[in-house]
Amino acid sequence: MPDTTDADGLTVGQVSARLGVTVRALHHWDDIGLAQPSLRTAAGYRLYTAGDLERLHRVVVYRELGLGLDRIRTVLDDTTTDVLGALRAQRTQVAERIGRLQQLGAGLDRMIEAHERGPLLTDGQQAAVFGPGWDPDGPARARRRYGDTTQWRQYAERSASRGAEEWQAVADAVAGLDRALGEAMDAGVLPGSPEANRLVERHREVFASYFPLTRQMQVCLGRMYEADPGFAAHYNGIRPGLAMWFRRIIDAGARAHGIDPDTATWDGAQEEWR
C-alpha cells in the first residue's frame, strides 16, 4: 500500500463522520479485508480514496438492509453471486421484520391505553359484562389513586391482553365467588374452618385476574371490604353482615399461615415474595 499525504485521501475520522459509522467498525472492516483503505500516510495512518469510499458506502447500505459481513463480502466480490436474488431474499426478511414491529407497536398502543384507562372495552361492553351498575369512570378514578403502584401496572398488563370474552369470564368468576360467600354464611360456615379457608383461597385465585394477591394484601382488602362504604354496600347487599363475615374468614385464614391480621400491611406483603 503506497504512502501519501493527507491531501490524497480521507482519514478514518473523516470517513466515520461522512458515513455515520464508528471508527471501530472501519478498523474492523479493514482488519478482516472487507473494506480496506488504499493509502497510508508516512506515519502509517489509514487514508481512504474515492473508490474506497464507494465500497464503504455499499457496505453500509447492505449492512443496514440486514446482511451479515460475510454475505456482504460475497455480494461485493463474488461475480457469480445472484445479487438481485440476494437482495430480494433480504427484502422478504425486512418485510417480515416490519410486520413483527408493527405487531409490537400495536401491542404497545394497547398497553399504553390499558395503563391510562384499564379495561379496553367500550362503555356498552363494560355495562354488558359487568352489569348495569358498572361505573365506566371507576377505572379512571382507580388510576388517579393507584396509577403509580406495582399493582396498577400488573392490572394494566392483564387488561391489555383481554377482550370482552375474557373480561366476561372474570366477571363470572367474581359473581360465582360472591354467591358462594353468601351461601356459606347462610350455612353457618365458621371462620378458620376448612370450608372457609377454601373460600379465602378461592378469593385470592379470582382476584389474581387483576394482580397477584399475597395473604397480607388480602387482609388489607378484607379490612377495606368492611370499612369502605362502597364495598360494604356491595357485600352486605348480597347478605346482611357479609362484609364483616368475609373480613373475619380472611383474618382467620391469614392466622393459619402465621400472619397476624392486626399488623398486616400492604407494603409488608413484599416479605411473602422472598
Side-chain angles (χ1 to χ4, degrees):
M1 184 178 294
D3 292 340
T4 186
T5 64
D6 291 358
D8 295 319
L10 297 176
T11 65
V12 172
Q14 290 171 326
V15 172
S16 172
R18 180 171 296 193
L19 296 182
V21 298
T22 65
V23 170
R24 182 178 180 181
L26 292 172
H27 285 174
H28 178 61
W29 296 347
D30 180 8
D31 292 341
I32 64 175
L34 177 62
Q36 296 177 308
S38 298
L39 304 175
R40 294 272 181 174
T41 67
Y45 295 109
R46 299 169 174 86
L47 288 176
Y48 292 87
T49 65
D52 298 334
L53 201 63
E54 174 61 26
R55 182 178 177 90
L56 280 169
H57 179 73
R58 295 177 67 193
V59 170
V60 170
V61 169
Y62 287 138
R63 189 182 66 163
E64 290 180 349
L65 290 175
L67 271 69
L69 296 182
D70 289 339
R71 186 59 173 160
I72 292 173
R73 186 199 307 275
T74 299
V75 170
L76 294 180
D77 297 335
D78 188 347
T79 58
T80 64
T81 298
D82 180 5
V83 176
L84 183 58
L87 292 177
R88 282 174 172 162
Q90 194 63 28
R91 177 66 180 84
T92 299
Q93 294 182 25
V94 169
E96 292 172 351
R97 186 160 67 246
I98 289 172
R100 291 194 296 270
L101 290 173
Q102 288 174 334
Q103 291 179 347
L104 176 61
L108 288 172
D109 287 342
R110 288 182 60 83
M111 186 70 72
I112 291 169
E113 189 177 4
H115 271 273
E116 291 176 343
R117 66 184 189 90
L120 302 183
L121 304 176
T122 65
D123 289 353
Q125 287 175 318
Q126 292 184 63
V129 170
F130 301 113
W134 172 256
D135 180 4
D137 294 329
R141 288 197 301 272
R143 180 183 181 275
R144 288 193 292 271
R145 185 173 181 181
Y146 305 112
D148 294 332
T149 66
T150 297
Q151 287 72 39
W152 180 266
R153 291 193 292 272
Q154 293 167 333
Y155 170 61
E157 290 168 3
R158 287 159 172 75
S159 298
S161 62
R162 285 189 184 136
E165 291 185 1
E166 290 82 4
W167 276 116
Q168 185 64 65
V170 172
D172 291 345
V174 171
L177 175 62
D178 285 350
R179 287 193 299 271
L181 290 169
E183 292 167 358
M185 183 180 172
D186 287 344
V189 172
L190 297 176
S193 66
E195 185 175 351
N197 288 340
R198 283 194 293 271
L199 284 171
V200 171
E201 289 305 305
R202 181 175 172 183
H203 171 252
R204 290 183 65 221
E205 293 172 2
V206 169
F207 205 92
S209 299
Y210 304 105
F211 54 80
L213 187 69
T214 68
R215 291 187 174 85
Q216 288 208 44
M217 292 163 70
Q218 188 180 31
V219 168
C220 296
L221 284 181
R223 294 178 195 149
M224 184 173 66
Y225 291 159
E226 183 180 16
D228 180 88
F231 282 108
H234 169 75
Y235 286 108
N236 291 333
I238 298 171
R239 295 290 193 282
L242 183 60
M244 178 185 293
W245 181 83
F246 192 11
R247 190 265 303 164
R248 290 178 60 206
I249 69 168
I250 290 175
D251 287 355
R255 290 190 189 94
H257 288 86
I259 297 170
D260 181 357
D262 294 332
T263 60
T265 63
W266 193 268
D267 291 338
Q270 298 302 319
E271 297 297 326
E272 295 185 47
W273 299 118
R274 297 176 183 172

